Amino acid sequence: MQITPNEVVGANVDGIDVATLDDAGFAALERALLQHQLLAVHDQCLTPESFIAFVRQFGPIDLHVLDQYWMDGHPEVYVISNIVENGRPIGNAREGFGWHSDLNYFSNPTAVTVLYALEVPPEGGDTMFADAALAYSALTAEHRESLRKLTVRHSYQLLHASRPWLKLMTPAQVARTPDVFHPLVRRHPAIDREGLYLGDWASVRLQLPDEAEARAAQERLLAHMVQPEFRHVHRWRAGDLVLWDNRTLMHTATEYDRERYRRHIWRSSVRGEVPLGAFDRSSAIDVAGRA
Ligand code: SIN
């Protein structure tokens, strides 16, 4: 396994086939993920079954709320794509826009996301990552201290309402998505990292007595976090398998010419632990959220 670190965060991995990794190989990859937080494993050739089997090694897979984009016969795979087959979109063409951490609106948000690219545009459609821990550590000690006890409301229903092109939520989808509250400063359960756990005001709301003040403070923190010095841009190649730790990284999809190019990506999300606050130094658990 050849591991080549990126400049800011993450690493490229070559020389492995994730479908045939033995236990020692998987353990080495899991360690590399903890160390680098983001891995781009090149030149993979996966079936839905081998993709799911790989992801399951990190822990239980959480199914996405929007069941209309589950892969037929494989609900563990959420399809991100602008391809239309027989008049029917095979996936969600507008998933992942806006800085976020995956499934943040669940009480146990995603620990690890895995994306696998089958087709990608020759330009655009990159995925950008921001190292929320690096950004947090760059704040003054006084500022960090002032943020440590704050909480944030995360609402899938607000997120859905901000995307009017989506079908109305079904009663089952509504029942699955009550609002949750997570610490603003989230501590990684297995390594010594604390980062800002945030998102856009559209669905993520810093809790302060004054809403206008909360919004302004949140927007300032987000702008700080996504500055180029904390960012890595992943330029996709078909066959890339990209996995990252959502506890202290945030990410966003970026635009491409959907009329001209095809993009087809499989995604699976590994359930994590209930987020630990910076003030909550309770016992560490392992990376997959197992107690
Ligand atoms: C996501 O946010 O899960 C998808 C990112 C992408 O498609 O670039």
Side-chain angles (χ1 to χ4, degrees), residues 55-190:
V55 178
R56 277 221 176 100
Q57 293 175 83
F58 290 96
I61 294 177
D62 253 332
L63 305 189
H64 197 279
V65 179
L66 299 182
D67 40 28
Q68 64 267 37
Y69 300 122
W70 293 353
M71 180 186 286
D72 284 344
H74 294 289
E76 302 88 343
V77 182
Y78 182 77
V79 180
I80 299 173
S81 185
N82 62 334
I83 299 171
V84 177
E85 271 171 10
N86 304 320
R88 179 178 164 257
I90 65 162
N92 188 347
R94 296 214 253 170
E95 180 62 50
F97 289 91
W99 288 99
H100 65 284
S101 178
D102 282 336
L103 308 192
N104 57 308
Y105 39 78
F106 284 155
S107 55
N108 288 57
T110 300
V112 176
T113 301
V114 187
L115 299 184
Y116 174 56
L118 292 97
E119 286 184 77
V120 291
E123 55 189 350
D126 303 340
T127 307
M128 290 206 286
F129 294 89
D131 187 334
L134 197 58
Y136 178 64
S137 69
L139 298 173
T140 63
E142 203 182 10
H143 195 180
R144 287 202 303 272
E145 192 52 41
S146 72
L147 303 175
R148 291 170 82 83
K149 291 208 167 152
L150 299 181
T151 55
V152 180
R153 171 183 168 212
H154 295 253
S155 169
Y156 182 78
Q157 291 176 29
L158 282 178
L159 180 67
H160 198 92
S162 73
R163 297 179 169 172
W165 57 88
L166 290 172
K167 281 198 315 195
L168 282 182
M169 292 177 76
T170 63
Q173 290 171 343
V174 171
R176 251 194 104 192
T177 53
D179 287 0
V180 295
F181 292 82
H182 296 313
L184 169 63
V185 180
R186 183 173 183 187
R187 189 165 95 85
H188 197 289

